[in-house]
Amino acid sequence: MVCGRGFAARHLVEMLIRYEIYHVRIADLGPTIKLEPSEDKGTLGNALQSGHAVYVSMDLLNKSQVLKAVSSLRNEGATVDSFKNQSPLSQQNI
């Protein structure tokens, strides 16, 4: 999720994690992710600790940083779980 710490994206990240649709990679400009106290003890904090979410510091305007982030996804064998995509949530236009 590019700009995953912005207002709208923050809520989408929480939803994706909560419904276990995908493993979430959050990309934003900050060198580290700074969680609010409620996030630290909530869904996002738990997902970061368990590995279901990962934070990547990236400048979207820096092509080499974007390519590095995308290539690491390919190296991890990122795939879409077709079973989970049958959920009603994944079929909605969000």
Side-chain angles (χ1 to χ4, degrees):
M1 170 69 59
V2 176
C3 303
R5 297 300 293 155
F7 178 76
R10 186 178 294 216
H11 295 288
L12 181 57
V13 165
E14 284 272 342
M15 181 188 68
L16 292 171
I17 293 168
R18 192 174 322 115
Y19 290 104
E20 299 179 356
I21 296 172
Y22 301 104
H23 287 242
V24 179
R25 179 166 294 202
I26 305 162
D28 212 52
L29 284 171
T32 60
I33 190 168
K34 296 178 183 167
L35 301 179
E36 301 291 328
S38 61
E39 293 176 312
D40 191 37
K41 296 177 181 169
T43 303
L44 182 55
N46 291 335
L48 288 166
Q49 290 177 359
S50 70
H52 285 101
V54 176
Y55 180 78
V56 178
S57 177
M58 180 185 75
D59 181 351
L60 188 58
L61 300 176
N62 184 320
K63 184 177 178 181
S64 65
Q65 288 182 12
V66 173
L67 291 174
K68 182 179 178 182
V70 172
S71 68
S72 67
L73 286 174
R74 289 187 192 134
N75 292 338
E76 294 170 7
T79 59
V80 175
D81 185 332
S82 60
F83 175 76
K84 288 183 181 178
N85 282 344
Q86 299 306 312
S87 71
L89 180 63
S90 67
Q91 297 171 9
Q92 295 176 6
N93 292 326
I94 299 174

